[in-house]
Amino acid sequence: MNEQTMEFSVTRDKESELKKTLTVIYDALKEKGYNPINQIVGYILSEDPTYITTYNNARSLIRHIDRDELLQAMVKNYLQD
């Protein structure tokens, strides 16, 4: 039973870190005058890093995000009440 709790904790921590990183990327895109949602979706669909600005190291940060984990977290958050 403790293993399940620990697994949940790790997943929760991972999602929290993912959210922080994605927020930095979102803010960098917004500050540079881009539509952050469109740019992030473009990156997710194509895996082309040029969708993401280099400003505030955003391009490097997004390359460290696993796209499958990102999509799973997004769907999970979208479907939760």
Side-chain angles (χ1 to χ4, degrees), residues 52-66:
I52 307 302
T53 182
T54 57
Y55 180 70
N56 280 353
N57 206 31
R59 189 176 294 168
S60 177
L61 289 172
I62 204 155
R63 287 179 147 172
H64 290 96
I65 293 176
D66 182 283

Side-chain angles (χ1 to χ4, degrees), residues 33-68:
Y34 295 105
N35 179 323
I37 301 299
N38 287 349
Q39 297 303 112
I40 293 169
V41 168
Y43 172 77
I44 291 170
L45 293 175
S46 69
E47 204 170 2
D48 181 356
T50 61
Y51 275 98
I52 307 302
T53 182
T54 57
Y55 180 70
N56 280 353
N57 206 31
R59 189 176 294 168
S60 177
L61 289 172
I62 204 155
R63 287 179 147 172
H64 290 96
I65 293 176
D66 182 283
R67 288 188 315 153
D68 291 337

Side-chain angles (χ1 to χ4, degrees), residues 3-19:
E3 289 178 25
Q4 289 177 343
T5 303
M6 291 180 75
E7 183 178 343
F8 175 76
S9 177
V10 170
T11 301
R12 190 85 162 149
D13 290 345
K14 197 176 247 187
E15 285 182 12
S16 177
E17 188 62 34
L18 179 61
K19 183 175 182 175

Side-chain angles (χ1 to χ4, degrees), residues 65-80:
I65 293 176
D66 182 283
R67 288 188 315 153
D68 291 337
E69 288 179 9
L70 175 59
L71 287 170
Q72 287 175 10
M74 290 168 57
V75 169
K76 179 181 171 185
N77 284 318
Y78 183 80
L79 294 175
Q80 286 180 343

